[in-house]
Amino acid sequence: MSSAAGDDTRSSVEVAVPLPLPYTLHYRLPERLRPLAVAGSRVRVHVGKRRVVGIVVAVNDRAPEGIELRDVDDLLDQRPVLTPELLRLGAFIADYYMSPIGETLRALVPARLPASGAARVRLTKRGIFLPTTEGPERDLVEALIAGGDATVGDLAARFPGEAFSGTLERLESAGYVSMSSGEGSGARYRAAVELPEGDLDRQLEAAGRSAQGRAVVEYLAALGRPATLAELAGSIGASGAVVRRLVQRGVLRTFTQIERLSLDRHLMRDQPRAVPELVEAQASALARIAEAIDAAAYRAFLLHGVTGSGKTEVYLRAVEHALAAGRSAILLVPEISLVPALAAEARRRFGERLAILHSGLSEGERAQEWERARSGSARVVLGPRSAVFAPVERLGVVVVDEEHDAAFKQEHAPRYHARDLALMRAHEAGAVAILASATPSFETRHNAGLGKLIVCELPSRVGGGRLPEGILVDLRQEHIARKPGEVVLSQRLLDETRAALDGGEQVILLRNRRGYSPVLMCRACGDKLACDECGLPRTFHRRDGRLVCHYCGSARPVPKTCPRCGAAAYEPIGAGTERVEERVAEAFPGVPIDVLDRDAARRIGGAAAVLERFANGRTQILVGTQMVAKGHHFPNVGLTAVLAADSYLGFPDFRAVERTYSMLTQLAGRAGRGDRPGRVVIQTYFPEHYAIRAALAHDDAAFAEEEMRFRRVFHYPPYTRMVQLLVRGRDRAKTEARADQVSRALHANALAGEVRISGPAPAPLERLQGQWRFQLLLRSTSAARLRRLVGESVPATERADVLVDVDPQDLF
């Protein structure tokens, strides 16, 4: 990899292409690319008749014998997009999660990341007057003077050798050249000026008698950095003519400056507050974490504390400690909706050292933030699960907030779990991992019991606050007048809401279904307007006048009459967030209400706008899905309520009870964070269920003991490891036959005697997106044994119709 310039021993490369192939492909390196090829860079190659972008995983001195290789078409990066650390992580993911290596590595890089070879190099005015010297810098500048702007790829071809990248970087750092970020980056270029070093009095004299010209000189001297023409006009009213005259007189120098894309729309407005004093438990936890950071060795911590106990303050100070030690940090949250508030606080502490990475960014914003992390200008990266792949160097700490959340599991290939990869990255980097939660996952609880995690307990709320009072509403006893469908607001909840509003408090109501109603049914014939591809009722979204399948995303307008019987007799059954909002508005006219769900997050302003309105008190009632239950800090919330606590309990999934308890506990934790005690109302048809009782009593230990007993008796994780095999196909009979074939292959393997094999059976959601689905579940105390059994019984080349999910989080 470190061959000298002109070394032609680099004859071939192994490329991971983004196709479901279990192996890499070999390609010949054209002579012009041999000095530049390096593992981790992207290349454009042909696979059959298709032209794809793959990632180089190895550079070889000689090509495989007896094979005629196709050439690499183009090298896209002068500097690799994946570091050796991330390449190793990608190889681990592909092996552990049984995912094709090309699809795995593609997931580690932002989609449509501009090719560095396509970036255009421009010569600045300063570059034109580069002092006459010999060497590669002067040669490259003269080429730009003679030929004008050029792409990095063109220049690399004209100046072959590994020294080219270093030469270009030195010229850019010195301000002699500027580079665009490539097509689609979204970067903007602005004319900027700077005041050269020198005697200020002489510079003012050279500016002449113009008061505006002298003001420009004084402003730049005080600023101590360059400024764009727009900034000068906005700050001191300087006109372009004045600035041009100062440039002509030699008082100022001009150059082109890349203007960063603002991410303000993704952040809540910062509300400065004094940094709180740590209580004893927080200080103890931070001291243990800081000691581990100083040791520069892998340590994993579980920061377990009740809601409102100050876990965020502890891990943010741990990040500060890592930065002071010259290291970087990654902060992971389960949902994009949690980014705006945490990003505002992180920016207040870390300033321009913070980068944000998530799918809600535009392509240009994402490429910009990713490049800032790679270059080291941003040393703290915040985002959901994919941010675990941030290309930071010298990683010091990785934080996984709300580590119990199922959203950390990727639903599409590669089906990784970001929490587990965070532990892996920390281990590889000799860094500290912090898993934070009020309701840790049972895998994390189990690992803590085995001594794999250092547990730091935060047993009480900071600031003397108390956990909210629990109020149970047995919906079986409700006799209020109700609209068709289920009970939405009980009389007790209405009374508690009115009392909270009268006391100047805010209210959060959780209904874990978006849209107006889960079903729009014809009263005349019973038709439920099911999705053609999934066979499940479409959700009625009244605001948009559409019926939407929440599984495949297909939508259609609401028909005026029933397509089956022709009657105009539709009735919404059940309630989603839209319907709850309507009922609340009827009950409390004039009270400002807002909704936070996935639909709201997609609108202009997104989740940040909704949360900011609530934080500022412009909204008094916030209705939402589980997005409202996670990690938010609103001191004026006096009441929270879950309208249907049973929404998860009936799911055919062994994690249903755990998720119900976590959701109830997290929602309860949003109340009573200010000076006054809060209340949480839980509406349920199963008031005696141990998860609901434990959540009401804030008894985490009792819930964990009961649920662990269930897992142990029935051999579920964390006491076993699990792999789900999902056989899918368009024809039901053929798919079922294929599932039987897979089952027979598994049972015929010698390892089958050491593995519990359940199924095949129809999946709980038997048909999705036009495909029938049959499921097998494999359980064993050894993850390696499970993967080996699958690998031997269902080879990678035979998995086109078999989805393999290692450590599944959903069994639907």
Side-chain angles (χ1 to χ4, degrees), residues 42 76-79 113-120 151-153 179 374:
R42 292 171 299 167
L76 302 186
D77 304 301
Q78 309 305 313
R79 180 183 175 193
L113 184 71
S116 63
R120 296 201 71 81
T151 66
V152 172
M179 285 198 294
R374 181 169 71 155

Side-chain angles (χ1 to χ4, degrees), residues 255-298:
F255 61 96
T256 302
Q257 176 171 296
I258 297 178
E259 182 180 283
R260 273 185 52 197
L261 300 173
S262 172
L263 267 63
D264 288 348
R265 68 189 178 93
H266 300 286
L267 281 69
M268 289 176 62
R269 292 181 187 174
D270 189 20
Q271 299 174 336
R273 59 181 184 272
V275 177
E277 291 290 331
L278 298 184
V279 300
E280 183 178 351
Q282 288 177 300
S284 174
L286 179 61
R288 298 173 75 182
I289 294 170
E291 182 180 2
I293 293 172
D294 291 338
Y298 170 69

Side-chain angles (χ1 to χ4, degrees), residues 170-363:
R170 288 193 297 274
L171 287 171
E172 185 183 21
S173 298
Y176 296 126
V177 300
S178 67
M179 285 198 294
S180 71
S181 299
E183 183 181 354
S185 71
R188 294 186 290 262
Y189 298 86
R190 297 288 184 261
V193 292
E194 64 180 349
L195 187 67
E197 293 184 6
D199 183 76
L200 180 58
D201 289 337
R202 290 187 178 180
Q203 290 170 331
L204 288 170
E205 181 180 345
R209 297 180 180 179
S210 167
Q212 204 174 65
R214 295 172 68 87
V216 169
V217 173
E218 290 173 343
Y219 177 80
L220 289 171
L223 194 63
R225 62 167 174 79
T228 64
L229 301 189
E231 183 179 358
L232 291 174
S235 300
I236 59 175
S239 67
V242 169
V243 175
R244 283 194 297 272
R245 186 166 60 249
L246 292 174
V247 171
Q248 291 168 357
R249 293 187 175 190
V251 178
L252 303 181
R253 290 195 295 235
T254 64
F255 61 96
T256 302
Q257 176 171 296
I258 297 178
E259 182 180 283
R260 273 185 52 197
L261 300 173
S262 172
L263 267 63
D264 288 348
R265 68 189 178 93
H266 300 286
L267 281 69
M268 289 176 62
R269 292 181 187 174
D270 189 20
Q271 299 174 336
R273 59 181 184 272
V275 177
E277 291 290 331
L278 298 184
V279 300
E280 183 178 351
Q282 288 177 300
S284 174
L286 179 61
R288 298 173 75 182
I289 294 170
E291 182 180 2
I293 293 172
D294 291 338
Y298 170 69
R299 295 287 188 278
F301 291 84
L302 169 59
L303 195 58
H304 181 205
V306 299
T307 55
S309 59
K311 297 182 290 293
T312 303
E313 185 63 32
V314 172
Y315 69 65
L316 287 177
R317 293 201 188 193
V319 171
E320 289 176 339
H321 193 86
L323 293 178
R327 305 189 75 177
S328 301
I330 297 174
L331 293 172
L332 299 180
V333 293
E335 297 267 7
I336 292 177
S337 65
L338 292 178
V339 170
L342 184 57
E345 178 63 21
R347 176 179 280 184
R348 186 170 70 84
R349 298 185 186 222
F350 311 129
E352 294 303 308
R353 294 178 294 179
L354 173 70
I356 299 172
L357 283 175
H358 61 68
S359 59
L361 304 180
S362 68
E363 288 180 17

Side-chain angles (χ1 to χ4, degrees), residues 714-732:
F714 290 97
H715 304 282
Y716 282 118
Y719 295 102
T720 59
R721 307 301 290 272
M722 180 181 285
V723 171
Q724 178 195 42
L725 299 181
L726 200 62
V727 182
R728 302 167 297 175
R730 293 278 176 179
D731 183 286
R732 190 185 191 284

Side-chain angles (χ1 to χ4, degrees), residues 407-427:
F408 282 119
K409 174 73 171 180
Q410 171 81 354
E411 296 177 353
H412 309 289
R415 291 173 174 80
Y416 63 86
H417 199 299
R419 176 199 61 215
D420 299 338
L421 295 188
L423 293 169
M424 185 77 179
R425 278 206 76 174
H427 184 274

